[in-house]
Amino acid sequence: PFEFIEVKHRLGDPMFSVIISEFAGCSLSLSSAVKVNPFDINEIVAALEKTLVSINNPPDELKAKRQERDLKYIRTKTTLNWAKNFLQDLRVLRKTKSRNMTYFGL
């Protein structure tokens, strides 16, 4: 599941930047995101300042493509989708007779 901040200058503005914790597993998947240590307030402030400045400058074509790909990835890989896929995987495992499983409250 993703936890991130999407920074825009104005609501509906196509220009955006994503700020994400460097500890989030998905941070490696998001090439255009600004990664921060969420426990370092100065780093978060610097990232916000950097993204607010960068959204006023149009990105080059390559960066724009990476941003669009990252945004699509974030919006489709929701916590709800992750949970549904996880439960579906558990159902498949339960039907597999060759596996030994231990149940923990499911």
Side-chain angles (χ1 to χ4, degrees), residues 1 3 20-28 34-40 43:
E3 295 180 16
I20 190 164
S21 166
E22 63 188 12
F23 304 121
C26 62
S27 69
L28 298 175
V34 177
K35 284 101 176 159
V36 296
N37 177 346
F39 303 105
D40 184 342
E43 192 172 330

Side-chain angles (χ1 to χ4, degrees), residues 59-73:
D60 60 39
E61 188 176 330
L62 180 61
K63 184 174 181 179
K65 285 181 181 179
R66 284 195 311 252
Q67 285 180 331
E68 192 58 40
R69 185 194 67 227
D70 286 355
L71 189 59
K72 181 179 177 186
Y73 193 80

Side-chain angles (χ1 to χ4, degrees), residues 45-103:
V45 169
L48 285 167
E49 289 173 346
K50 176 182 175 182
T51 56
L52 287 171
V53 168
S54 70
I55 61 175
N56 289 319
N57 301 316
D60 60 39
E61 188 176 330
L62 180 61
K63 184 174 181 179
K65 285 181 181 179
R66 284 195 311 252
Q67 285 180 331
E68 192 58 40
R69 185 194 67 227
D70 286 355
L71 189 59
K72 181 179 177 186
Y73 193 80
I74 288 168
R75 289 183 174 166
T76 58
K77 307 291 183 193
T78 65
T79 303
L80 178 61
N81 286 340
W82 177 87
K84 285 179 181 179
N85 290 334
F86 181 75
L87 291 173
Q88 180 61 33
D89 289 346
L90 288 178
R91 286 185 198 100
V92 169
L93 282 174
R94 186 175 67 193
K95 291 178 183 179
T96 306
K97 294 179 181 179
S98 64
R99 304 250 187 217
N100 293 326
M101 293 186 64
T102 304
Y103 292 93

